[in-house]
Amino acid sequence: MTTLSNRALNRALLDRQFLLVRTDHTPLEVIGRLVALQAQEPNWPYVGLWSRIHGFTHSRLTTLLQDRTVVRSGLLRSTQHLAAADDFRRLRPLLQPVLDRTARSAYFARNSAGLDPASLVATGLELLADGMTPRKELARRLAERHPGRDGRTLAGEVELRTPLIHNPATGAWGSWGTRSAVSVTPAEIWLGRPMAPATAKDLIRRYLAAFGPAGTMDVQAWSGLTRLGEIVSDMRAELRHYRGPDGRELIDLADAELPDPDAPAPVRLLPAFDNALLGHADRTRIISHEDRNHVMPGQARVRPTFLVDGHVRGSWSLEGDTLRLTPFRPLSATDRAALEQEAERLLPFVGGENVAYGGPGATRSP
């Protein structure tokens, strides 16, 4: 069994994520390859696609949301994602146990104690029967039906327990801080088609195409699903097998090619919550344990980052019209110049005018 170095795994991930070379594939094709894009805040998927696609413009994603080809909803790990509509129809039912598990957490359970989950969902769907409804209105109506309970929490539980699509406007570029303005509608009404569950094997194959080679624990960390070991074992004959740097067994699609580990990796700026950083239990192929603490300081926070030679070397932020780069340690003159050039290219896309440095790694290396 071939042992793959950390660098080989890094280059494989970058290649499959379109971060080794920008692609001419359409945004829909790229979203399909990546399975889904984190969309905690509406603007970040746009930056993720800009870093992966030649000549990407905001309208190319906004149009997909408006024509219902791409949708925004809860998906992987119970978090908001963008996915192709057909993928959402297949993947949301498969991932529903993950969202149900979140709905049973103490935060929701305290508020809905004594309520039958199926009845709560039925009530929610009844209140949403007329189409797109503001979350605030759904919360108000649920509170009327269930006096003494917090309506916003009940609305959140309904959204976890049944697939609801967000209105396209809340996925549009520039929609920062619009969570309170989100409207939702049942997925089958929005899509005009029923859910059509995929199998766990389908999901594993899709994952490997975007994140492999990887281990079973990596698939579980990315998806939120558990107990996939038996399913992976049943797929053994169709997969290729490797060892990772730590001796763990890794799996991959049989026909998947690995790029040259010595292939150059250009500087890339990634958005907050990018799944390239979140797609594995062991993330050292792209970010060190030390730097992970800088980027992910809490459970619900993943800062925007930049890659140098394929690995996270710092974070960035947009402060007014200034794009601020924060290296975690000093960069070489060559890497600094490449980073500045990429940041300058991103500026017009995010509406900035200046690039500046900050943080302990900002000092120029000799």
Side-chain angles (χ1 to χ4, degrees):
M1 191 180 296
T2 302
T3 296
L4 299 177
S5 66
N6 199 61
R7 186 177 179 87
L9 293 175
N10 173 266
R11 293 311 194 253
L13 175 63
L14 297 182
D15 185 47
R16 298 183 195 191
Q17 290 280 315
F18 301 110
L19 293 171
L20 202 57
V21 179
R22 278 189 169 92
T23 182
D24 289 319
H25 287 305
T26 67
L28 183 61
E29 290 169 334
V30 171
I31 294 170
R33 163 73 80 81
L34 303 181
V35 186
L37 295 178
Q38 275 269 16
Q40 305 291 83
E41 294 288 353
N43 283 7
W44 291 127
Y46 289 82
V47 177
L49 292 174
W50 179 89
S51 290
R52 290 170 165 91
I53 300 174
H54 283 297
F56 176 75
T57 59
H58 303 103
S59 63
R60 297 178 70 188
L61 177 55
T62 303
T63 298
L64 294 177
L65 289 162
Q66 292 172 340
D67 68 16
R68 310 189 187 193
T69 306
V70 168
V71 297
R72 183 175 187 250
S73 183
L75 198 61
L76 299 163
R77 305 181 300 279
S78 299
T79 57
Q80 305 303 326
H81 279 74
L82 297 186
D86 286 339
D87 283 342
F88 183 80
R89 290 175 54 240
R90 302 186 70 230
L91 297 178
R92 174 62 189 252
L94 176 65
L95 296 168
Q96 189 58 51
V98 181
L99 290 98
D100 288 341
R101 187 169 68 234
T102 303
R104 292 193 299 270
S105 66
Y107 174 79
F108 294 100
R110 283 193 299 267
N111 188 62
S112 58
L115 290 181
D116 174 56
S119 296
L120 176 62
V121 169
T123 300
L125 292 176
E126 174 192 338
L127 297 174
L128 294 170
D130 292 335
M132 278 291 176
T133 302
R135 272 180 177 165
K136 287 183 176 179
E137 180 64 13
L138 175 61
R140 185 186 68 78
R141 294 178 182 178
L142 285 170
E144 288 179 349
R145 296 286 186 97
H146 302 286
R149 302 178 193 267
D150 183 76
R152 291 176 300 175
T153 307
L154 290 176
E157 183 171 345
V158 169
E159 194 168 343
L160 285 167
R161 291 189 180 277
T162 193
L164 304 181
I165 302 298
H166 297 184
N167 54 316
T170 55
W173 175 261
S175 303
W176 292 114
T178 58
R179 291 180 182 179
S180 62
V182 169
S183 294
V184 294
T185 194
E188 293 188 351
I189 292 177
W190 183 254
L191 299 175
R193 288 166 291 173
M195 297 289 111
T199 68
K201 290 183 179 180
D202 292 332
L203 183 68
I204 291 167
R205 295 183 190 106
R206 294 287 300 278
Y207 169 80
L208 291 174
F211 296 91
T216 302
M217 295 299 293
D218 295 316
V219 188
Q220 294 183 166
W222 167 79
S223 66
L225 292 170
T226 59
R227 301 179 181 178
L228 294 180
E230 184 175 340
I231 296 170
V232 170
S233 180
D234 191 51
M235 298 173 67
R236 189 171 185 84
E238 73 171 77
L239 300 174
R240 185 174 294 173
H241 301 266
Y242 299 101
R243 291 283 180 198
D246 59 358
R248 286 189 310 136
E249 183 176 15
L250 305 178
I251 54 174
D252 201 7
L253 299 175
D255 60 353
E257 297 182 1
L258 299 181
D260 183 347
D262 293 324
V267 168
R268 291 287 185 259
L269 279 79
L270 299 183
F273 298 101
D274 196 286
N275 273 334
L277 270 65
L278 302 177
H280 301 83
D282 178 2
R283 300 168 183 171
T284 54
R285 70 185 66 197
I286 193 168
I287 185 170
S288 69
H289 292 304
E290 177 187 1
D291 290 343
R292 181 171 171 173
N293 293 331
H294 294 303
V295 173
M296 306 169 195
Q299 287 287 334
R301 190 176 184 188
V302 182
R303 292 188 171 110
T305 58
F306 59 80
L307 307 181
V308 175
D309 192 28
H311 289 80
V312 172
R313 293 290 183 256
S315 63
W316 65 275
S317 59
L318 191 63
E319 303 172 6
D321 63 359
T322 299
L323 194 160
R324 188 168 300 279
L325 302 165
T326 305
F328 297 148
R329 58 195 58 83
L331 302 171
S332 70
T334 300
D335 290 338
R336 186 181 178 105
L339 176 60
E340 290 172 355
Q341 289 173 5
E342 185 71 356
E344 291 284 353
R345 286 192 287 266
L346 180 60
L347 274 178
F349 187 85
V350 296
E353 297 180 4
N354 307 292
V355 173
Y357 281 92
T363 304
R364 184 184 297 273
S365 297

